Structures are given as structure tokens and as C-alpha cells.
Amino acid sequence: MAGYVPHHRLQRGDVRGVLGKGGGKGTRSVASYDEDTTTMGVEAGRLALKGAPDASVDRLWFATSAPAYLDKTNATTVHAALRLDSGVLAMDAGGAIRSGIGALRSALESDGTTLVVSADLRSGRPSSAEEVSGGDGAAAALVGEGDVIAEYLGGASVTDEFVERWKSPGDRHTRSWEDRFGESVYPDLGRQAWEAALKVASIEADAVSKVAVHSQNARAAGRMAKSLGGVQVLDDLSATVGNTATAHVGLLLAAMVEQAEPGEVLALVSLVDGADVLLFRATDAITGAAVRPVADQVAAAVDLPYATFLAWRGEIELEPPNRPTPPRPSSAVAHRTEDWKFGFVGSRDRESGALHLPPARVSFTNAHQDDMDPAPMADVEATIATFTVDRMAYSPSPPVIFAILDFDGGGRFPCELTDCDEGDLHIGDRTEMTFRVLGTQDGIHNYFWKARLLPGQSTEG
């Protein structure tokens, strides 16, 4: 179980400083120009699988209200980047915010092992409450039997039909009804689901140690939290991350599990198009299970200027690079090189051990042909041997920073860096790989791998 919070954040107060209105207190997370819901889902899935390296996944479900593609399945890209077996079913559960907790509950009540990935990218009209209250992020939960860190005790759902928040196909921004309407509807639905879940799990309310509440309607979430009595209601991350919509229940669950003690009963409440309540009990395996805690990612975020945020979101159009745009990526080539392009798998010469990035048929050490083993490199760290700042290359957010990376255990590769500025870098800095969007032409997203500085590394140039 893991959450992913992007590297950048927006200080809400900066909105008023630029536009003279809007803004507020706190921060919200911001996906980079080269991130979308698919790439963020990959990052969350990688963290979840690192916490359970021996897990054998049977199914992958990907939930988002902001899919990178329609018609095409986005989960297949996540599947390829995570290098899951071809027999693993990969399906989208997208379009609606409730699909996040819906996919999670369905997996909890199914057989086999399911990787549930959710991600969202939220925006709004400049200076709007939707813009500053939203947030970008992803979460992933590996659901199955064995040495689980949180045992599922049971859950309940209550569904009702009403229009409180909506976005028509083709709309850029979400619209919502007056907040007091949702505030009058959701709490009663939440209490019904709460009582039903406790009954299913055969526990009393005072047995619940911690609860996390999610709703797109902050007033409804607040009223629901107050109605739970003496149960400890955890921070909903609205002041630091913002509301990540489809991903938020997974993000809250990950953060709650990371704070839990063995034996504690945890409740997850979602008020979206009805109400859902899931109950868990933390096990002894919970101690030290987090690979990269949500709190650490939030603390490490770096401020982003509001004008840059608007440009990344397409709300303002900047002067484009004075270079021709790259051609449309070839679907045929991408399919032939799937292991390299999506999985970042090189090749290693069986005799000499020489690593080839990208993979090669002929070894540069002994000229042996087709005598290679696959070499997965996505989780291998590397050191910057040298780097350059290119202000002429095409990029949606120039300049482009390229580095020559020396990978641990051998292998050298020229690679674009992300989530950093030129003043952040030094020769000898340590990096890790991250799955990103190189560009989008003719509606086709060109996914590949970039490098970023390891968390916790000094960024003072």
C-alpha cells in the first residue's frame, strides 16, 4: 500500500498575489508538465510492489476521473511499466470519482491478488475554489491473502442519485452545485453506511481507533467527522496536498496505515455519489512497511510559481520553443520495443556481463550476437557523470537538462532529468528513474523514463 505525491506544490496565497483574488491558506500538490494520471499511477504502483516484492499479481485495476486516453485502456500502460505478466488482466475503472473506492472494495471482496491503482489530476478556472482546493496524486493497494499489513474486516455502501458535482464530456473544468446542498445530503448517507459497516464487521463504534474521511464537499466531510463522536479523525491532507478526488481514498488509507499501530481498527469513509465505509485492522506486519511514507513526500515538496502552474495546466499559452515539434511516435516501434520503452529493460552480455542501454543484439565487448539476458533497470540507482542544460531543444517547459548516468553495477545512459532546476545539480549526485511523458503529438502520448534526484539529497547549487 502506497501513496504518490508529486514533487511540486502551489502556495495557495500566490494566486491572490498574481490575480488579485482567490487563493487561501496552505498548499496543493501539482503534477509536473511531464506527468499525467497514468505516470502517477505507475509511481504509486512501483512503491506498492516494492513493499511486497514477492507478490504475484492476478489483476490490475486503474481508476481515474482524468484518463490520458478515452477508448484506449490506460491500465495497459501501467501494466507495461510495472512489467507485470502478460496473463495479468488490466482494466480501467474510470470516469467518476467514486471509481477509486469502488475498485478498492471490489478487490477486497474478490479472490486472488489485485493491484488497485488510482490517480487524479485536478484543476479549475484560475482563482476558483476548485483550482486551489484540488490536488494531484496517486495511490496503490495490493489486495490479496498472506502476510497483509491491514486485514479487511468488512464494508458497506449506500447509493443515492443526485447531481452535486459534474463535468460533461469535453469540458475542461468541473462544475458543482451550491455546497449546502451536498452538506444536507451526504452526512445522513454516511451515517447509514457507517452503521451498516460496523454491523457487517461485528464491531462497536468505540472499537475504531482512527478514521479518515474523504468528500469533494468539505462541509459534508466536516459534519460527518463530527458525527463520529470520540473516534480520532485524521488529517485529510486538504491543507497540504489538496483533494486528489479519485486517488484520495487510497492516499488517505496509505497515510492512515503508515500512522497505525498493530491491532488498531481503521475506518475509511468516502462521501461521493453516496457513501462508502471500509474497516480494517492493522497487523504486526505494519511496522516499517512503508517504502516512502506520504508524510515524507509532502514534506519534501518544492514550491512552484503560480504562472508556471497556469502554463502547465494550459490556462495560459506561452511562446512555444523556436524548434519544430517532434513527430508523432510510432505505435509499431513502441510495440516492438515494449520492454525497453515501458519497462526500461536493457540487455546484459552473458559472457562479459556488459550492460547495453538501450538493449542490443550485438555485444560491444566481444561482438557476440543474440547472447543476452534481459536487464531490468527501472529500480536501479545511478550517479550523474556529467550534465548539460539545453535551451534550444524542444520542450513544453524549457530548458531541458540532460545527464550522462552511470548505473550501479554497470551501464551508462544519456537521460533527461526532471523535477529539478539546473542550480540543483552537481556531478556525482545520485538519481533514480521515473516514468514520464516525453511529449504528446496527434493525441498520442510518448511515454518513457527520465531520471530525478534521490529524495533527501541536497538541492543547494
Side-chain angles (χ1 to χ4, degrees), residues 27-333:
T27 61
R28 61 150 291 172
S29 59
V30 179
S32 179
Y33 72 93
D34 58 359
E35 292 185 289
D36 61 14
T37 51
T38 298
T39 65
M40 290 191 292
V42 169
E43 292 304 301
R46 293 175 69 197
L47 292 173
L49 292 176
K50 283 180 181 178
D54 298 327
S56 178
V57 178
D58 300 313
R59 293 175 296 271
L60 166 65
W61 292 343
F62 179 50
T64 180
S65 70
Y69 288 114
L70 296 176
D71 285 358
K72 182 193 179 307
T73 303
N74 298 276
T76 55
T77 304
V78 180
H79 176 284
L82 297 179
R83 300 188 63 244
L84 300 179
D85 187 86
S86 61
V88 174
L89 174 66
M91 295 191 66
D92 287 354
I97 293 171
R98 198 182 189 185
S99 63
I101 195 164
L104 178 59
R105 185 180 177 192
S106 296
L108 289 165
E109 298 178 357
S110 300
D111 296 329
T113 301
T114 304
L115 179 62
V116 181
V117 178
S118 56
D120 234 328
L121 192 152
R122 305 297 293 180
S123 192
R125 291 179 177 85
S127 80
S128 68
E130 190 77 18
E131 178 187 61
V132 294
S133 66
D136 306 331
L142 194 61
V143 179
E145 299 179 352
D147 296 329
V148 299
I149 60 175
E151 175 191 2
Y152 179 55
L153 302 179
S157 298
V158 176
T159 299
D160 195 7
E161 164 55 23
F162 54 96
V163 179
E164 191 253 349
R165 184 173 298 271
W166 72 98
K167 183 168 68 172
S168 300
D171 286 353
R172 284 175 55 83
H173 306 303
T174 296
R175 290 175 284 174
S176 61
W177 206 262
E178 208 274 333
D179 277 357
R180 287 177 294 182
F181 172 60
E183 184 185 9
S184 69
V185 175
Y186 277 124
D188 183 58
L189 300 177
R191 284 190 291 270
Q192 293 179 46
W194 176 260
E195 293 169 3
L198 292 175
K199 185 176 181 180
V200 169
S202 300
I203 61 174
E204 299 295 329
D206 58 7
V208 179
S209 302
K210 294 181 174 71
V211 61
V213 182
H214 165 246
S215 177
Q216 295 300 108
N217 188 313
R219 296 162 67 122
R223 284 191 57 185
M224 181 68 198
K226 291 180 180 179
S227 73
L228 298 177
V231 180
Q232 181 185 358
V233 180
L234 299 182
D235 173 26
D236 65 358
L237 302 177
S238 60
T240 53
V241 176
N243 196 314
T244 60
T246 313
H248 212 65
V249 287
L251 198 61
L252 289 178
L253 180 58
M256 183 164 53
V257 167
E258 289 163 5
Q259 301 174 46
E261 299 292 335
E264 286 189 323
V265 175
L266 313 174
L268 182 64
V269 178
S270 176
L271 306 177
V272 179
D273 296 332
D276 300 275
V277 177
L278 305 179
L279 296 170
F280 303 87
R281 178 179 286 111
T283 70
D284 292 338
I286 203 169
T287 304
V291 174
R292 189 166 294 173
V294 172
D296 292 354
Q297 297 180 59
V298 172
V302 173
D303 290 345
L304 182 77
Y306 181 56
T308 304
F309 169 82
L310 292 176
W312 285 1
R313 285 296 194 267
E315 300 294 346
I316 58 175
E317 186 175 356
L318 301 180
E319 180 69 19
N322 192 22
R323 287 290 183 271
T325 58
R328 181 177 69 176
S330 168
S331 293
V333 172

Side-chain angles (χ1 to χ4, degrees), residues 350-366:
R350 290 194 179 102
E351 180 182 82
S352 66
L355 183 67
H356 299 73
L357 297 172
R361 293 184 59 193
V362 179
S363 174
F364 64 78
T365 57
N366 51 29

